[in-house]
Amino acid sequence: ENITAFSGSREWDCTLVLADGDDFNGLIDFHRKGKPVQYPEEGEAVISVKLSKELGLKEGDSIFFVAGDDNKEYSFHITGIFDNYVNHYIFSPPESIPGFKVNTAYLSVKDGMIPGEAAASARGIDGITYVSVASDEKEIMSKSMESLDAIIYVVIICSGVLSFIIIYNLTNINIMERVREIATVKVLGFTNAETSEYVLRENILLAFIGAALGLILGKYLHMYIITRIEVDAMNFDLRISPVSYMLSYIITVAFSVGVNYAMRIKLDRVKMAESLKSVE
């Protein structure tokens, strides 16, 4: 039954499912971060993670809702929270609310059967008003998530270009303000490679430090962005893979190295005599 669960002043729409735990074998896997979640007993319930977030609930708390034709208020003791990414659920044994009517069937198709064809056959049976195919819903959600990939690529490219421009301009300003110093170093016998290392060494050092700090701050920025784009019906897993950290660090340092090579050409073109003659 579709209900509105509440806790204190918070409320959230979800689906209440009353069934024995054994009925879900092979259909639904209750787990939280890879660890199995024990199915509840009478008067208890397990709820989806997004529902727990929105209502501010944790294991040991109670969740309240109104259900049934008589709109009676019930409360369940929460014994577990399970991972679920689309829609929100409360699962409890049928004994928790006596006298309920069976109105839903969870079905799994046999090997070799096409879920869409099985759903079409089920829709033709008298008494069935709605059929939902889990694989179709999964495909729809996957396609909707793929549309975010284009946005992510644009953000990465724009961030990279912005990073290159900022580092380039700062380095360019640094060189322009230190022309006499650079010319003096060259007069003292520094080679072009030694002069470049002398001037641009700080860029590499700052790139390593900045990239390391960015990895720490980026985690919290990622959490902020994901929680803002997350829709009510979905729950996003806030997780950043080690590969993402590694690529972010490498790309940032690579941009800094690229700017250094571009600026090295400008350093080589600094004319010692004219720079030393310039008036400050």
Side-chain angles (χ1 to χ4, degrees):
E1 181 177 349
N2 293 324
I3 62 171
T4 299
F6 58 89
S7 174
S9 60
R10 300 183 181 182
E11 60 180 34
W12 202 257
D13 293 335
C14 60
T15 301
L16 172 64
V17 181
L18 299 178
D20 292 322
D22 295 337
D23 295 339
F24 295 114
N25 291 336
L27 292 171
I28 300 177
D29 177 23
F30 296 96
H31 63 272
R32 176 66 173 147
K33 295 182 178 180
K35 298 181 179 180
V37 175
Q38 186 69 31
Y39 199 78
E41 298 180 356
E42 181 180 349
E44 301 175 342
V46 292
I47 65 176
S48 54
V49 61
K50 180 65 177 286
L51 183 60
S52 69
K53 291 178 181 178
E54 296 299 333
L55 296 181
L57 296 173
K58 61 184 183 299
E59 292 185 18
D61 294 339
S62 295
I63 187 169
F64 300 86
F65 58 91
V66 174
D69 297 334
D70 55 355
N71 290 327
K72 184 179 178 180
E73 182 176 315
Y74 297 90
S75 66
F76 287 160
H77 180 73
I78 300 174
T79 59
I81 298 172
F82 63 92
D83 288 328
N84 188 73
Y85 303 104
V86 181
N87 298 324
H88 322 294
Y89 295 92
I90 300 175
F91 287 90
S92 185
E95 296 82 14
S96 298
I97 302 181
F100 76 99
K101 297 179 181 179
V102 177
N103 57 11
T104 303
Y106 286 85
L107 307 175
S108 60
V109 298
K110 296 180 179 179
D111 293 337
M113 292 184 63
I114 300 176
E117 293 180 356
S121 300
R123 292 187 182 98
I125 301 176
D126 292 337
I128 294 181
T129 58
Y130 176 75
V131 178
S132 174
V133 182
S135 59
D136 290 346
E137 292 185 359
K138 181 180 179 180
E139 184 177 356
I140 292 173
M141 291 300 173
S142 297
K143 289 182 178 179
S144 66
M145 294 301 297
E146 288 176 0
S147 62
L148 288 176
D149 291 343
I151 300 175
I152 293 173
Y153 292 138
V154 170
V155 171
I156 292 175
I157 294 173
C158 292
S159 299
V161 173
L162 180 62
S163 173
F164 186 89
I165 292 174
I166 292 176
I167 297 175
Y168 182 90
N169 286 337
L170 291 176
T171 306
N172 190 38
I173 294 172
N174 184 30
I175 293 175
M176 291 176 61
E177 292 181 346
R178 301 172 63 183
V179 169
R180 285 178 59 85
E181 177 187 347
I182 296 169
T184 302
V185 168
K186 286 190 173 185
V187 169
L188 293 176
F190 278 50
T191 63
N192 288 338
E194 291 173 336
T195 303
S196 298
E197 182 181 355
Y198 171 75
V199 177
L200 302 176
R201 182 189 307 161
E202 60 191 53
N203 277 6
I204 298 298
L205 180 60
L206 290 174
F208 279 106
I209 297 175
L213 291 175
L215 294 181
I216 299 173
L217 298 176
K219 177 181 179 180
Y220 296 100
L221 179 61
H222 168 262
M223 293 174 59
Y224 175 81
I225 293 176
I226 293 300
T227 53
R228 291 300 178 273
I229 67 174
E230 191 176 64
V231 297
D232 291 345
M234 298 182 67
N235 177 63
F236 291 161
D237 191 8
L238 298 177
R239 180 179 63 228
I240 304 177
S241 67
V243 175
S244 297
Y245 280 112
M246 181 179 65
L247 290 177
S248 299
Y249 194 89
I250 292 175
I251 291 173
T252 302
V253 175
F255 274 121
S256 181
V257 172
V259 170
N260 278 2
Y261 274 105
M263 290 292 99
R264 186 171 181 175
I265 299 174
K266 188 168 185 176
L267 284 173
D268 294 344
R269 293 176 180 175
V270 173
K271 298 180 179 180
M272 295 179 286
E274 293 183 6
S275 299
L276 293 174
K277 291 178 181 179
S278 63
V279 179
E280 291 185 346

